[in-house]
Amino acid sequence: MTRIGGRQVLFVMATDHEYGRHLAERFVPLIAGVGPIEAAAGTAIALARMAALPDLIVSIGSAGSRTLPLGSVWQVASVTWRDMDASRIGFAKGVVPFADFGAELALATPIDWPVARLSTGADIVGGSDYDAIDADMVDMETFAVVRAGQRFGVPVMGLRGISDGPGELDALGGWTGMLGVLDEALAAVVDRLG
């Protein structure tokens, strides 16, 4: 955990690919893993092992978007889980059956920074796949991190930098190409947490 502005903050990232030198000057993250299952398990296990829980969790890293500019950074206003579909048994798409929360979860937005809606899923989105998604940007972890945080009573905020999205994503390099730019841009926004 990192102490920022009088709070203990846990930064959660999917992979160290997104953790560059600028972010490394500010915090050491929990690398929870890629995708909703790994993110939920990694975050929950880490929280369960802590002697004292953090005051805030920050789900931070890259995201795709067809509409937001490459290299821009957004505070997550809300998140949905695009893979959840129990509509065949009468639940609206995105609603977890028999849960006490809806399809869209609001996140903490503690800084004065632009917000956008996020959709989490187990797939890498590209091209026309965006047509079916009702959100400004997509990732693979934030919904899971939020649910883990909720289970432990810890608020979660999200910071996402746009690494890809317009057009079709072309192999690993199509994602990693912007990560250096996002490292510096995300670090500047992290500084606002203080």
Side-chain angles (χ1 to χ4, degrees), residues 84-87 90-96 103:
M84 177 51 67
D85 186 357
S87 57
F91 293 89
K93 188 171 180 358
V95 172
V96 176

Side-chain angles (χ1 to χ4, degrees), residues 15-102:
T15 171
D16 58 11
H17 289 80
E18 300 170 312
Y19 185 56
R21 68 180 179 88
H22 296 283
L23 290 175
E25 292 171 359
R26 288 154 176 85
F27 61 84
V28 176
L30 165 65
I31 301 295
V34 175
I37 302 300
E38 296 304 310
T43 304
I45 290 167
L47 291 171
R49 291 180 174 165
M50 291 180 178
L53 292 172
D55 299 305
L56 178 69
I57 297 170
V58 180
S59 176
I60 185 169
S62 63
S65 178
R66 183 166 56 181
T67 58
L68 301 175
L70 285 173
S72 62
V73 173
W74 300 85
Q75 187 174 203
V76 179
S78 63
V79 65
T80 57
W81 183 12
R82 67 179 173 270
D83 301 331
M84 177 51 67
D85 186 357
S87 57
R88 287 194 165 111
I89 59 171
F91 293 89
K93 188 171 180 358
V95 172
V96 176
F98 316 114
D100 61 353
F101 55 89

Side-chain angles (χ1 to χ4, degrees), residues 6-185:
R7 292 182 292 194
Q8 290 286 9
V9 180
L10 174 65
F11 290 88
V12 179
M13 302 185 84
T15 171
D16 58 11
H17 289 80
E18 300 170 312
Y19 185 56
R21 68 180 179 88
H22 296 283
L23 290 175
E25 292 171 359
R26 288 154 176 85
F27 61 84
V28 176
L30 165 65
I31 301 295
V34 175
I37 302 300
E38 296 304 310
T43 304
I45 290 167
L47 291 171
R49 291 180 174 165
M50 291 180 178
L53 292 172
D55 299 305
L56 178 69
I57 297 170
V58 180
S59 176
I60 185 169
S62 63
S65 178
R66 183 166 56 181
T67 58
L68 301 175
L70 285 173
S72 62
V73 173
W74 300 85
Q75 187 174 203
V76 179
S78 63
V79 65
T80 57
W81 183 12
R82 67 179 173 270
D83 301 331
M84 177 51 67
D85 186 357
S87 57
R88 287 194 165 111
I89 59 171
F91 293 89
K93 188 171 180 358
V95 172
V96 176
F98 316 114
D100 61 353
F101 55 89
E104 191 162 359
L105 305 177
L107 273 70
T109 53
I111 59 174
D112 182 20
W113 193 259
V115 298
R117 294 170 59 238
L118 178 66
S119 172
T120 293
D123 59 330
I124 293 176
V125 178
S128 62
D129 294 344
Y130 282 102
D131 294 343
I133 298 169
D134 179 23
D136 305 303
M137 53 189 177
V138 296
D139 82 344
M140 299 176 74
E141 295 82 27
T142 298
F143 189 95
V145 173
V146 171
R147 287 297 297 133
Q150 287 176 335
R151 290 288 180 116
F152 286 85
V154 181
V156 178
M157 74 170 292
L159 289 175
R160 292 286 160 175
I162 306 304
S163 59
D164 56 85
E168 191 58 62
L169 184 58
D170 185 25
L172 184 62
W175 168 62
T176 60
M178 287 295 295
L179 296 184
V181 171
L182 292 180
D183 171 54
E184 187 171 4

